[in-house]
């Protein structure tokens, strides 16, 4: 790689004239806005000291034998030092920055003697009273190709660098670029891990809430239906035993209660474990659910099913719960008379529950308990949930869940 060496052959100006010089302000890169956006994406400005940057700069200072060395990044109005030696401040104004000139090129900038360069003068180029006479810097290039700052070495006496030394400075700047990229990737991985942990925590909370709700419903059925039915049956049998009213009528009532209780126990058992079929026939399970719902609600319910009928037990139960919950939502909120359930089983399961009710205002839609219970089951199986208004009113709940074979690929 070549380097830019700035020197003049004309005589060195007198000290009196030199003091009237001011450092010429570097021009602004044409891509400055994009460059700054790229710089900010690394979140490097004003970050804490990091050993890797400090050690790399220490190597540079030792190789070039300069009292001052820095890894700098050029912000809107300042030059900020990520790592530095021989400096007791963390930033300077951009107008006083050598590195602001360095980022204008794609190769090292070497100033052998500032007094021989018309852009630099001693009014602004001193550190602790010592005049800066030598500067060499290589631009730090981002993965997107923007010059973010520079690796530089500085001395208070004129110096020269060979082309190999200039090339070495570029090698160090490329290492800084790699460290920036690695640092950014680590931050993104950490953020992704934190988001995943937060999501898993949310799913766990939803699952626990759902279990509490299911236990409450189970207790309600046992107490208000089955227990009360058994109490009534016991009462009828006691009356019959005492020879009270018509024994035939009491026994008939007791029998009817037992039949009803058996059905309630069956329904309760089915709600806890929807199927005992060995192969977990999804179509049969959903057909039973829809028939039961239709009888209870009085709605017209239709099932359209395509594809394989026997799938993994956990997904079968999850789909059963999703449909069960959405049917409950429709019954309570939709004021519908018809429900159409479409299930397509290919590489993934595509489920649609559509009703002809009053629909939802999507811009005002808020996830209630029912939808959150559905969403929890969908997310548990890496699925996707969408809710939309149907063609002629109503609501269309659409769920896509990948099958185990597809998820394992």
């Amino acid at each position: 790689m070549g380097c830019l060496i700035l020197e003049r052959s004309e005589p060195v100006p007198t000290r009196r004239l030199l003091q009237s010089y001011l450092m010429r302000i570097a021009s602004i890169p044409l891509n400055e806005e994009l460059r700054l956006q790229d710089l900010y994406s690394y979140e490097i400005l004003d970050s804490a000291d990091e050993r890797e940057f400090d050690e790399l700069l220490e190597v540079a200072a030792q190789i070039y034998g300069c009292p001052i060395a820095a890894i700098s990044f050029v912000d809107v109005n300042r030059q900020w030092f990520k790592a530095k030696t021989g400096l007791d401040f963390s930033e300077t104004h951009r107008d006083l920055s050598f590195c602001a000139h360095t980022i204008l090129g794609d190769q090292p900038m070497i100033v052998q003697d500032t007094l021989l360069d018309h852009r630099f003068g001693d009014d602004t180029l001193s550190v602790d009273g010592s005049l800066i006479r030598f500067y060499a810097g290589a631009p730090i290039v981002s993965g997107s190709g923007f010059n973010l700052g520079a690796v530089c070495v500085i001395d208070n006496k004129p110096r020269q660098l060979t082309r190999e030394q200039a090339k070495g400075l570029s090698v160090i700047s490329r290492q800084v670029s790699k460290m920036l990229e690695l640092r950014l990737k680590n931050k993104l991985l950490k953020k992704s891990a934190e988001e995943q942990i937060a999501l898993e925590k949310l799913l766990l909370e939803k699952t626990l809430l759902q279990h509490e709700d299911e236990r409450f419903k189970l207790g309600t059925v046992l107490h208000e239906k089955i227990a009360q039915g058994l109490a009534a049956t016991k009462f009828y049998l006691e009356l019959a035993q005492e020879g009270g009213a018509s024994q035939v009528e009491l026994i008939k009532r007791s029998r009817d209660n037992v039949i009803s209780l058996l059905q309630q126990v069956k329904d309760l058992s089915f709600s806890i474990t929807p199927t005992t079929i060995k192969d977990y026939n999804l179509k049969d399970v959903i057909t039973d659910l829809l028939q039961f719902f239709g009888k209870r609600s009085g709605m017209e319910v239709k099932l359209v099913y395509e594809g394989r009928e026997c799938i993994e037990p956990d997904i079968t139960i999850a789909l059963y719960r999703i449909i069960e919950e959405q049917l409950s939502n429709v019954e309570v909120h939709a004021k519908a008379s018809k429900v159409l359930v479409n299930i397509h089983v290919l590489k993934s399961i595509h489920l649609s529950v559509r009703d002809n009710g009053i629909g939802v205002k999507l811009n005002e839609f808020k996830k209630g308990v029912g939808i959150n219970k559905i969403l929890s089951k969908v997310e548990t199986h890496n699925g996707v949930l969408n809710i939309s208004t149907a063609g002629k009113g109503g609501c269309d709940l659409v769920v896509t869940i990948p099958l185990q074979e597809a998820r394992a690929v």
Side-chain angles (χ1 to χ4, degrees):
M1 177 182 289
C3 61
L4 180 63
I5 300 176
L6 303 173
E7 56 184 344
R8 295 180 60 179
S9 58
E10 58 191 71
V12 177
T14 65
R15 181 77 176 179
R16 181 176 57 81
L17 292 175
L18 181 62
Q19 290 177 344
S20 68
Y21 273 50
L22 289 177
M23 184 176 187
R24 180 173 295 179
I25 298 173
S27 59
I28 301 298
L30 295 176
N31 59 4
E32 178 68 356
E33 185 174 345
L34 295 176
R35 188 193 71 83
L36 289 172
Q37 290 179 8
D38 199 34
L39 171 63
Y40 298 152
S41 71
Y42 288 91
E43 299 180 355
I44 191 71
L45 294 175
D46 299 310
S47 59
D49 293 345
E50 296 179 52
R51 180 174 54 85
E52 294 81 2
F53 289 91
D54 292 337
E55 290 178 347
L56 190 61
L57 185 65
E58 184 179 345
V59 170
Q62 291 176 354
I63 290 175
Y64 294 95
C66 290
I68 299 173
I71 296 174
S72 72
F73 293 94
V74 180
D75 198 358
V76 178
N77 294 314
R78 60 172 178 156
Q79 168 186 240
W80 181 79
F81 302 117
K82 173 62 179 174
K84 62 187 186 298
T85 60
L87 297 173
D88 57 2
F89 45 85
S90 60
E91 63 181 58
T92 66
H93 198 282
R94 181 170 176 171
D95 292 350
L96 308 181
S97 168
F98 281 92
C99 295
H101 293 267
T102 302
I103 65 171
L104 298 177
D106 58 359
Q107 52 188 310
M109 185 183 84
I110 300 174
V111 182
Q112 296 179 351
D113 189 344
T114 59
L115 300 186
L116 300 180
D117 191 296
H118 66 282
R119 298 174 301 173
F120 308 109
D122 67 349
D123 277 359
T124 55
L125 301 178
S126 63
V127 177
D128 296 332
S130 299
L131 186 67
I132 294 177
R133 296 290 300 276
F134 168 81
Y135 169 90
I140 299 171
V141 185
S142 73
S144 301
F146 295 99
N147 291 349
L148 307 181
V151 176
C152 64
V153 290
I154 298 171
D155 205 341
N156 55 10
K157 58 185 178 181
R159 297 178 59 132
Q160 293 184 352
L161 292 185
T162 65
R163 293 190 179 276
E164 288 72 19
Q165 288 176 314
K167 183 178 180 181
L169 201 59
S170 294
V171 171
I172 295 174
S173 74
R174 286 197 294 271
Q175 289 302 311
V176 174
S177 299
K178 291 178 180 179
M179 288 164 56
L180 281 179
E181 296 299 328
L182 181 60
R183 185 177 182 275
L184 179 59
K185 288 179 181 178
N186 288 339
K187 281 183 174 291
L188 294 176
L189 286 174
K190 181 180 178 181
K191 182 179 179 181
S192 177
E194 290 173 348
E195 290 175 349
Q196 183 64 30
I197 292 172
L199 177 59
E200 291 175 357
K201 181 180 178 181
L202 179 62
L203 286 175
L204 177 60
E205 291 174 351
K206 288 182 179 179
T207 301
L208 292 175
L209 288 174
Q210 180 178 332
H211 287 171
E212 287 295 327
D213 183 63
E214 290 172 353
R215 281 194 287 269
F216 176 78
K217 288 182 178 179
L218 179 62
T220 300
V221 171
L222 288 172
H223 176 71
E224 296 184 359
K225 294 184 177 181
I226 295 178
Q228 291 182 10
L230 287 171
T233 302
K234 177 176 177 290
F235 175 71
Y236 294 148
L237 292 174
E238 288 173 347
L239 285 178
Q241 184 179 11
E242 294 172 359
S246 171
Q247 292 183 350
V248 174
E249 177 63 25
L250 291 173
I251 292 174
K252 180 178 181 297
R253 290 183 184 179
S254 299
R255 184 197 65 185
D256 292 342
N257 270 359
V258 170
I259 293 173
S260 175
L261 287 170
L262 286 173
Q263 184 60 47
Q264 290 180 35
V265 170
K266 180 181 177 181
D267 292 342
L268 182 60
S269 174
F270 195 75
S271 70
I272 296 172
T273 304
T275 178
T276 56
I277 300 175
K278 181 178 180 181
D279 294 327
Y280 291 89
N281 189 297
L282 176 61
K283 183 177 180 181
D284 290 346
V285 171
I286 301 304
T287 298
D288 291 344
L289 171 63
L290 297 183
Q291 288 176 349
F292 177 77
F293 173 77
K295 290 179 182 178
R296 187 189 74 219
S297 66
M299 295 186 194
E300 179 184 335
V301 185
K302 181 180 179 181
L303 172 65
V304 176
Y305 194 105
E306 294 180 6
R308 180 157 57 95
E309 298 180 4
C310 296
I311 61 173
E312 296 85 348
D314 59 330
I315 297 183
T316 297
I317 296 174
L319 287 170
Y320 178 92
R321 296 298 189 196
I322 291 170
I323 297 172
E324 179 185 46
E325 190 61 46
Q326 182 59 11
L327 290 176
S328 176
N329 292 336
V330 170
E331 186 176 12
V332 174
H333 303 292
K335 299 180 181 179
S337 60
K338 296 180 181 180
V339 178
L340 173 63
V341 177
N342 275 282
I343 300 177
H344 300 268
V345 183
L346 297 171
K347 291 183 178 180
S348 61
I349 296 177
H350 182 83
L351 164 68
S352 169
V353 181
R354 179 180 300 176
D355 66 75
N356 67 342
I358 59 176
V360 293
K361 296 180 180 179
L362 296 178
N363 59 335
E364 300 176 3
F365 179 74
K366 296 181 179 179
K367 294 185 178 70
V369 175
I371 291 298
N372 274 320
K373 289 167 69 175
I374 293 174
L375 182 60
S376 175
K377 287 181 168 53
V378 172
E379 291 177 341
T380 299
H381 292 278
N382 301 317
V384 177
L385 169 67
N386 287 296
I387 298 174
S388 63
T389 54
K392 297 181 179 180
C395 175
D396 191 9
L397 180 138
V398 179
V399 171
T400 302
I401 295 178
L403 289 176
Q404 187 167 349
E405 297 91 334
R407 294 201 302 265
V409 174

